[in-house]
């Protein structure tokens, strides 16, 4: 059997203007391998269809540009040159004709111009730019090249430098769109709702978990802090966001835009949960008039668990009574904090400090004492943000930022550690968050309104 594939170009009146043979496939007796197209054939066909289609489109466009729109006289040609345009289905060399401006209007520009060069200012098609940005925000540039090159007929035309430049271009464009930073977004949150609309009572809360992660920049640059978070709306949909602390000049605006895109309304409470770090806590302020800020239980228990481990080191080293007293106090401390009883908790911490202090104490005891002191400072600093966790838990309210752990895992990957530069990591985070939130396509459609709304598939990276 022979299968021929042709491209037939018709004009708007339906008359055939050109027929081009693209492929001729031969098939023998049916085997599973030869049923339908194989990848190599599909790639070749796509490439040739693209070439033929684009050539016709370009020819028609140039033809339309030949006539002066004012006097309809044909503009004269003044040379031509080739431009290279990268598309999903091949890097194409296009013939760009240079035309002379008509001199019928003294007010018109003079000299020559290249209509096609002016039309295709970016030399990468939006669809290709989208896929390049999407995959290289999730995977290394090398793997992204391999992946796109294997399935699309652009294999040799992709390289890591181009991917890197294009990802950077997309990220910068996104960053430039972010509105200005404000000290407070309270007024704006209020104005989101039209005045005539009454505020319905008892709106369910947004829950927002924030966490910090440290990434090593390599060499002398040291560590930098990445703040990531997940915002869960009342309806239950979650969105990721993240930024590099000290690089991001608009953290509040960024957070505000995430909440706004999830439909935050003026009367809607926002519950923030964090590990109490000041950088993160400052961010929470001024976003919503009804926001609550809580220290998350997850971080408290982590510290208590570590102290419990250190305490075990006292067994056999210190007197049994001291070791047992420390154990009982730590257990009691946990329950006081669980019930939001900060005062008794702080008294217990003081008691433990007295119990453990002394001259020439063992290294184990010294270690526990230091941990208790640090914990005491942590609880005292955050005492305003410690709720009755037990009560919240019984009322099915969020008490832990464990749900943001996936944000840390998905946004801050080893990949980022390898990037090593703060600014670059920051930009990468912005594109990656949009990909994970299924928003990148939307952004591209805003930039390129002719782009189709393909249903984006949610991408989940293995932790
Ligand atoms: Zn003219």
């Amino acid at each position: 059997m022979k299968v021929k594939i042709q491209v037939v170009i018709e004009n708007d009146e339906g008359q055939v203007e050109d027929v081009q043979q693209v492929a001729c496939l031969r098939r023998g007796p049916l085997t599973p391998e030869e049923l339908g197209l194989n990848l190599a054939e599909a790639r070749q066909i796509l490439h040739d269809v693209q070439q033929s289609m684009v050539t016709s489109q370009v020819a028609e466009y140039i033809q339309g540009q030949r006539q002066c729109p004012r006097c309809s006289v044909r503009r004269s040609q003044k040379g031509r040159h080739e431009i290279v345009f990268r598309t999903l289905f091949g890097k194409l060399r296009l013939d760009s004709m240079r035309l002379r401006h008509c001199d019928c209007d003294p007010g018109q520009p003079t000299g020559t111009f290249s209509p096609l060069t002016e039309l295709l200012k970016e030399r990468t098609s939006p669809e290709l730019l989208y896929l390049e940005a999407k995959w290289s925000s999730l995977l290394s540039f090398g793997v992204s090249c391999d992946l796109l090159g294997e399935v699309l007929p652009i294999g040799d035309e992709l390289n890591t430098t181009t991917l890197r430049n294009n990802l950077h271009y997309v990220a910068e464009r996104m960053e430039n769109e972010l509105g200005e930073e404000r000290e407070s977004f309270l007024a704006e949150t209020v104005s989101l709702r039209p005045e005539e609309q009454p505020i319905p009572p008892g709106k369910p809360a947004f829950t927002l978990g924030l966490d910090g992660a440290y990434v090593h920049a390599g060499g002398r640059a040291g560590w930098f802090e990445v703040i990531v978070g997940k915002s869960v709306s009342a309806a239950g949909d979650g969105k990721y966001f993240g930024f590099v602390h000290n690089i991001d000049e608009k953290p509040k605006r960024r957070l505000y835009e995430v909440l706004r895109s999830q439909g935050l309304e003026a009367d809607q409470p926002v519950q923030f949960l964090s590990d109490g770090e000041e950088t993160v806590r400052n961010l929470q302020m001024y976003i919503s008039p009804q926001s609550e800020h809580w220290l998350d239980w997850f971080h408290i228990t982590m510290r208590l668990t570590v102290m419990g481990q250190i305490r075990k080191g006292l067994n056999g080293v210190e007197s049994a009574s001291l070791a047992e007293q420390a154990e009982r106090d730590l257990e009691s401390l946990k329950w006081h904090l669980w019930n939001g009883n900060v005062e008794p908790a702080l008294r217990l911490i003081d008691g433990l400090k007295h119990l453990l202090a002394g001259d020439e104490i063992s290294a184990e005891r010294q270690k526990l004492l230091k941990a208790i002191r640090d914990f005491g400072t942590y609880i005292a600093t955050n005492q305003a943000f410690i709720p009755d966790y037990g009560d919240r838990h019984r009322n099915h309210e969020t008490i832990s930022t464990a749900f943001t752990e996936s944000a840390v895992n998905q946004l801050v990957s080893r990949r980022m550690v390898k990037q090593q530069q703060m600014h670059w990591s920051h930009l990468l985070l912005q594109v990656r968050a949009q990909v994970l939130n299924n928003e990148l396509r939307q952004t591209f459609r805003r930039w390129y309104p002719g782009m189709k709304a393909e249903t984006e598939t949610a991408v989940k990276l293995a932790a």
Side-chain angles (χ1 to χ4, degrees), residues 337-351:
L337 289 171
W338 174 252
N339 293 312
N341 299 324
V342 180
E343 286 302 323
L346 288 172
R347 278 201 296 277
L348 268 169
I349 290 168
D350 278 341

Side-chain angles (χ1 to χ4, degrees), residues 11-230:
N11 62 20
D12 290 342
E13 285 73 47
Q15 292 160 320
V16 174
E17 295 204 323
D18 195 12
V19 178
Q20 289 180 24
Q21 176 137 331
V22 171
C24 179
L25 309 163
R26 286 167 198 282
R27 290 292 188 266
L30 185 63
T31 61
E33 305 89 293
E34 291 218 312
L35 182 60
L37 297 171
N38 62 41
L39 182 59
E41 289 166 346
R43 283 161 33 119
Q44 189 62 48
I45 291 167
L46 278 170
H47 180 273
D48 294 351
V49 169
Q50 181 82 329
Q51 181 74 61
S52 148
M53 191 173 159
V54 169
T55 305
S56 301
Q57 283 181 291
V58 166
E60 190 189 65
Y61 177 72
I62 301 268
Q63 203 49 45
Q65 298 292 313
R66 282 303 291 261
Q67 246 184 21
C68 168
R70 196 179 141 88
C71 70
S72 297
V73 165
R74 200 172 152 86
R75 288 156 162 161
S76 62
Q77 185 188 333
K78 176 82 166 61
R80 57 192 340 129
H81 64 279
E82 200 179 63
I83 61 170
V84 172
F85 191 68
R86 300 167 70 248
T87 76
L88 277 184
F89 310 118
K91 184 157 102 174
L92 306 172
R93 292 175 190 287
L94 309 176
D95 190 11
S96 179
M97 195 183 276
R98 181 163 282 279
L99 300 175
R100 210 184 284 280
H101 277 293
C102 184
D103 54 11
C104 65
D105 179 6
Q108 287 282 308
T110 54
T112 61
F113 71 111
S114 298
L116 194 65
T117 310
E118 286 175 19
L119 181 76
L120 306 176
K121 287 199 181 70
E122 290 173 358
R123 295 302 167 81
T124 300
S125 73
E127 288 274 8
L128 178 55
L129 189 63
Y130 166 75
L131 283 187
E132 286 178 336
K134 175 175 174 172
W135 290 104
S136 59
S137 80
L138 299 171
L139 305 166
S140 75
F141 293 115
V143 173
S144 301
C145 266
D146 289 348
L147 169 72
L148 296 174
E150 181 153 12
V151 294
L152 297 171
I154 42 171
D156 301 340
E157 324 292 357
L158 284 171
N159 62 67
T160 53
T161 309
T162 311
L163 283 193
R164 193 185 166 90
N165 290 343
N166 282 348
L167 178 62
H168 198 273
Y169 169 77
V170 167
E172 289 280 15
R173 191 165 173 182
M174 276 166 43
E175 280 298 272
N176 291 338
E177 284 188 333
L178 190 66
E180 65 189 38
E181 182 67 322
R182 301 263 169 86
E183 193 47 46
S184 166
F185 284 100
L186 291 180
E188 290 196 21
T189 315
V190 171
S191 70
L192 283 179
R193 168 183 289 276
E195 269 177 39
E196 64 274 13
Q197 230 173 299
I199 294 173
K203 277 263 170 174
F206 272 70
T207 308
L208 219 144
L210 294 159
D211 210 346
Y214 285 88
V215 173
H216 198 265
R220 279 183 211 157
W223 295 84
F224 61 92
E225 191 182 9
V226 176
I227 310 279
V228 294
K230 190 177 179 185

Side-chain angles (χ1 to χ4, degrees), residues 156-398:
D156 301 340
E157 324 292 357
L158 284 171
N159 62 67
T160 53
T161 309
T162 311
L163 283 193
R164 193 185 166 90
N165 290 343
N166 282 348
L167 178 62
H168 198 273
Y169 169 77
V170 167
E172 289 280 15
R173 191 165 173 182
M174 276 166 43
E175 280 298 272
N176 291 338
E177 284 188 333
L178 190 66
E180 65 189 38
E181 182 67 322
R182 301 263 169 86
E183 193 47 46
S184 166
F185 284 100
L186 291 180
E188 290 196 21
T189 315
V190 171
S191 70
L192 283 179
R193 168 183 289 276
E195 269 177 39
E196 64 274 13
Q197 230 173 299
I199 294 173
K203 277 263 170 174
F206 272 70
T207 308
L208 219 144
L210 294 159
D211 210 346
Y214 285 88
V215 173
H216 198 265
R220 279 183 211 157
W223 295 84
F224 61 92
E225 191 182 9
V226 176
I227 310 279
V228 294
K230 190 177 179 185
S231 158
V232 180
S233 77
D237 68 309
K239 276 195 182 183
Y240 297 109
F241 68 95
F243 56 87
V244 174
H245 182 56
N246 289 339
I247 288 280
D248 195 1
E249 291 166 353
K250 306 168 178 178
K252 284 180 198 159
R253 165 65 75 170
R254 201 174 299 284
L255 185 54
Y256 169 73
E257 293 297 341
V258 171
L259 289 167
R260 198 174 67 144
S261 75
Q262 289 179 291
L264 177 74
E265 292 178 28
D267 54 317
Q268 223 159 354
V270 182
Q271 296 178 355
F272 291 95
L273 286 138
S274 76
D275 67 351
E277 293 243 0
E278 206 173 336
T279 49
V280 167
R281 210 171 50 226
N282 286 343
L283 191 63
Q284 304 173 169
M285 308 296 182
Y286 315 117
I287 294 289
S288 166
Q290 299 193 30
S291 49
E292 295 174 336
H293 316 106
W294 303 126
L295 187 64
D296 105 274
W297 179 246
F298 178 65
H299 282 89
I300 294 181
T301 47
M302 276 201 316
R303 285 167 186 253
L304 284 165
T305 304
V306 169
M307 289 192 292
Q309 291 298 324
I310 301 173
R311 196 224 51 86
K312 283 183 187 158
L314 300 187
N315 294 339
V317 175
E318 297 291 335
S319 72
S321 65
L322 184 136
E324 282 162 18
Q325 179 71 48
E327 187 180 13
R328 274 197 304 276
D329 286 356
L330 280 175
E331 190 60 22
S332 176
L333 179 58
K334 180 174 181 172
W335 289 110
H336 277 304
L337 289 171
W338 174 252
N339 293 312
N341 299 324
V342 180
E343 286 302 323
L346 288 172
R347 278 201 296 277
L348 268 169
I349 290 168
D350 278 341
L352 273 162
K353 282 195 266 189
H354 280 295
L355 178 75
L356 296 167
D359 297 329
E360 298 186 18
I361 55 175
S362 67
E364 290 79 4
R365 190 162 152 184
Q366 188 72 54
K367 200 174 163 193
L368 183 59
L369 182 59
K370 185 184 180 306
I372 298 279
R373 282 186 178 138
D374 290 348
F375 189 67
T377 309
Y378 180 66
I379 295 300
T381 311
N382 288 295
Q383 57 183 314
F385 312 111
I386 296 175
D388 183 339
Y389 295 105
D391 188 51
R392 285 180 65 85
H393 185 62
R394 285 186 292 278
N395 287 306
H396 307 289
E397 291 173 308
T398 313

